[in-house]
Amino acid sequence: MKYEKTVLLKDGRTCVLRNAEAKDAQAALDLFLATHAQTDFLGSYPDESKLTVESEAEYLQRQTDSDNGIELLAEIDGTVAGMAGISCFSPKYKMRHRAMFGIGVDRNYWGLGAGRALTAACIECAKAAGYAQLELSVVAENTRAIALYESFGFREYGRNPRGFRSRVSGWQPLVEMLLEIDA
């Protein structure tokens, strides 16, 4: 699946949303490690990562070549400021209508609209891929992210009370959310 779009940010700068390709592997890996160090709301810590530039390049190439998955990056002033993607929950008939959504934005670019633009782009791509719903998990304390998702029509469908364990704050509930895109 291919995607490219330029959006205007709140501060007047432009942001290019495009496929993250194999050539972006180092920047994507750097962003992954940075965002996972900047917030306690993402699913792992940087010291747990086993990713390499090579494995990231392979993943990005698979997503670029996919007809139902995508990994997008947001470039601001030539810097990768955020990434988001969708992937099929399962290729089996009973669950292939479901896509998983994930996003990370560098803290230096929070509040500018890059996260909103990436989310909108992923919803657009999920529709184009023919998914019926888009799903995500978010830490309950991440109220800014929940408000963003709700503004797009995502709704909570459940909570896992011990779905997330932080080294800093211990157990935290995970909010399970979905967006029905074929309704």
Side-chain angles (χ1 to χ4, degrees):
M1 183 179 314
K2 302 290 185 209
Y3 189 90
E4 185 162 346
K5 185 176 188 177
T6 300
V7 297
L8 189 62
L9 299 174
K10 291 178 183 177
D11 67 356
R13 288 186 284 177
T14 58
C15 175
V16 176
L17 306 174
R18 64 170 178 82
N19 290 79
E21 300 173 337
K23 67 182 175 67
D24 301 306
Q26 184 66 61
L29 182 55
D30 292 347
L31 178 77
F32 177 89
L33 295 173
T35 56
H36 285 68
Q38 293 169 343
T39 179
D40 201 36
F41 293 140
L42 297 177
S44 64
Y45 292 99
D47 65 347
E48 297 175 310
S49 176
K50 303 257 188 275
L51 295 173
T52 64
V53 173
E54 294 78 19
S55 66
E56 186 68 6
E58 290 170 9
Y59 169 75
L60 295 176
Q61 190 60 53
R62 279 193 310 275
Q63 288 295 84
T64 298
D65 295 340
S66 174
D67 60 354
N68 67 351
I70 196 163
E71 193 70 28
L72 298 173
L73 59 78
E75 273 184 326
I76 302 171
D77 298 329
T79 300
V80 177
M83 292 184 67
I86 61 168
S87 57
C88 187
F89 186 82
S90 169
K92 307 287 192 234
Y93 179 83
K94 292 180 179 182
M95 292 191 209
R96 69 178 174 219
H97 64 284
R98 300 166 60 192
M100 296 299 299
F101 169 68
I103 186 170
V105 176
D106 186 312
R107 176 174 283 199
N108 296 312
Y109 298 93
W110 287 3
L112 297 177
R116 175 169 290 284
L118 282 165
T119 302
C122 283
I123 292 169
E124 184 180 333
C125 290
K127 287 178 182 178
Y131 288 110
Q133 64 188 43
L134 195 53
E135 303 174 29
L136 61 88
S137 298
V138 59
V139 176
E141 292 180 13
N142 193 351
T143 56
R144 289 181 63 195
I146 292 170
L148 171 68
Y149 305 141
E150 288 176 340
S151 76
F152 280 100
F154 281 87
R155 63 177 173 80
E156 179 179 332
Y157 70 91
R159 286 185 181 231
N160 183 339
R162 290 172 35 133
F164 194 86
R165 187 169 64 177
S166 163
R167 291 177 182 166
V168 177
S169 55
W171 296 110
Q172 296 181 38
L174 270 183
V175 178
E176 304 299 333
M177 301 184 80
L178 66 82
L179 175 66
E180 293 177 355
I181 41 186
D182 68 341

